Amino acid sequence: MAGLQADKDIIAGLAEATRDEAESFDKKKIESTTSHEHELDGIHDGLEFPTEEERLTLRRVSDSIPWSAYLIALCELAERFSYYGTTVVFTNFIQQPLPKGSRTGADVAQAGALGLGQRASTGIGTFNTFWVYVIPLFGAYIADTRWGRFKTTCVAVGIALVGHVLLIISAVPGVIEHSRGSLACFLIAIIIMGLGTGGFKANVSPLVAEQYKRTKLFIGHTKKGERVIVDPMMTTSRIYMYFYLFINVGSLIGQISMAYSEKYVGFWLAYTLPTIVFMICPFVLYFGRNMYVTSPPQGSVLSKSLRIWRQAAKGRWSWNPRQFWRNMTAEDFWESAKPSNFKGENRPRWMTFDDVWVDEVKRGFKACSVFMWFPIYWLTYNQLNNNLTSQAATMVTNGVPNDVLSNLDPFALIIFIPIVDQFVYPAIRRAGWNFSPLKRITLGFFTGSAAMVWTAVVQHYIYKRNPCGYYVATCKDAAGNPVTSDLNVWIQTGSYVLIAFSEIFASITGLEYAFTKAPKNMRSLVMSVFLFMSAISSAIGEAFVSLSTDPLLVWNYGVMAVLAFIAGCIFWFQYRELDRQEDALNDISEGHLDEKH
């Protein structure tokens, strides 16, 4: 996704509303007959609930998406426009020198500013990517413990705006000519922007899903009169599908328009226009402040969750690796940490929760373990941002800038997300196949692997059809002009389309999984863990930099394909049993936690 690289990156779970998704069924038990009786809550009043037989036989559909969710998605669109609109020109701003006679950095041949070279450009770019995915951990902590998601999002927007203003200053005529001063201002800007972006990303994804309030299955009717079950789980999944769509609309428009802004006007415009678009955010947040469903902070539960894990792990440590693994993955691992096992004075003072909350924490830990595989997935996606752009420069582009080709990914997502939502997923449900989140993530690994296979084959033929063979990137004729292969650059389309599908299956579902499996008072934190996997992937990617050059590029893409395929196989083998527990995990009620102790 062009939208989830920082978000990888973007972008993408279940309607928290004001309770856990796990309350999709009644909290106590599943009624065997149709029930109209439930605790009045102003949300489910007057609805008809399905019998157990209807749960098994009626088709399930999603509910309509509330307008407040679209408003928050609009904020995400503006933020992604500003983020990708500015970062898309970072490489030229840092690497290329200021064109002769230019005071803005604009040049039809090659825009530039600081002239620090490729190594500095790669280093600063990698730091920026890592930075914006580390900060969500802190933004999530503040939201869950101090301010709540909505206030944290608003403050993050204000911080990011300060960074955007400094970014503009680093590129205005009079400053850009002095490379040291411009660089200092630029670095301060991306650090401050990273603080704002990180705080925004950790909280806007849970916030958009909170807008849907219903948490219980209920009976509905289609326009044709068909009796169906309206499933809040599917509704939240759909919310994230269109949330991701908004992400990619913003990133697509931002990247294409700013690439031409730097080229024909200057970097100051390429930084100013995204800032103006980003200023939509505070107005939208203020306009809908009384409309949004928000959750107040509920104090820090991270330390208490770790205490629960430590309590559960007592007596299970072993020097034998095989025995240690068995002990730590045993089905009854969490049972020893439940308060019901402690009576009277034997109960530790820190156990201010009930057994159900332990089950919620257990579910959250399982979700985080699922995310541990995502850095391998993001390695395949990261090839879009650098290597595929370089590959495009070695083919016939017919005047199309090579860095514009990467926008095929968000363009494909904009096309295929509605198709998958309206046709593919409904067809799968009609066929009676349970296309669960873990199955979707597994398929995402495999389609990511297929994208790298396509890219490796293209790279093989680039080498084969270039007069310089395996050194195509530096191939020049007698006059010093670059010589490319005779392959048309649009054959890269297969790579971008396959990566787009992998994002629909893996990235969007990852956002959904993070939201639905976390305890209510840890949603931002678990979401930030999912986003942090992108930072880890960037760090791992540094180990493969030596493969990202001629004549080793076929090996580079081949290694990525093999890693993604093997990771997908191991992922499914490891979590196939967890996949069978999907409904049971979603049925866990909301536990009680007393934060006063």
Side-chain angles (χ1 to χ4, degrees), residues 520-584:
K520 181 180 176 180
N521 41 18
M522 292 179 65
R523 292 197 185 278
S524 291
L525 184 62
V526 174
M527 184 68 72
S528 69
V529 171
F530 173 70
L531 296 174
F532 182 63
M533 295 303 104
S534 295
I536 295 178
S537 180
S538 296
I540 295 174
E542 292 298 312
F544 295 96
V545 169
S546 59
L547 294 177
S548 299
T549 186
D550 293 331
L552 303 174
L553 285 168
V554 173
W555 280 97
N556 176 70
Y557 301 129
V559 167
M560 296 302 163
V562 171
L563 284 176
F565 182 81
I566 293 176
C569 292
I570 299 175
F571 177 87
W572 177 248
F573 179 80
Q574 180 178 351
Y575 292 112
R576 67 191 189 283
E577 182 60 34
L578 184 64
D579 181 67
R580 298 188 188 103
Q581 302 171 13
E582 180 69 18
D583 287 339

Side-chain angles (χ1 to χ4, degrees), residues 13-29:
L14 279 156
E16 170 182 23
T18 54
R19 298 172 199 68
D20 200 316
E21 263 319 325
E23 294 179 339
S24 296
F25 303 111
D26 294 321
K27 288 185 176 181
K28 302 297 182 180
K29 61 181 180 179

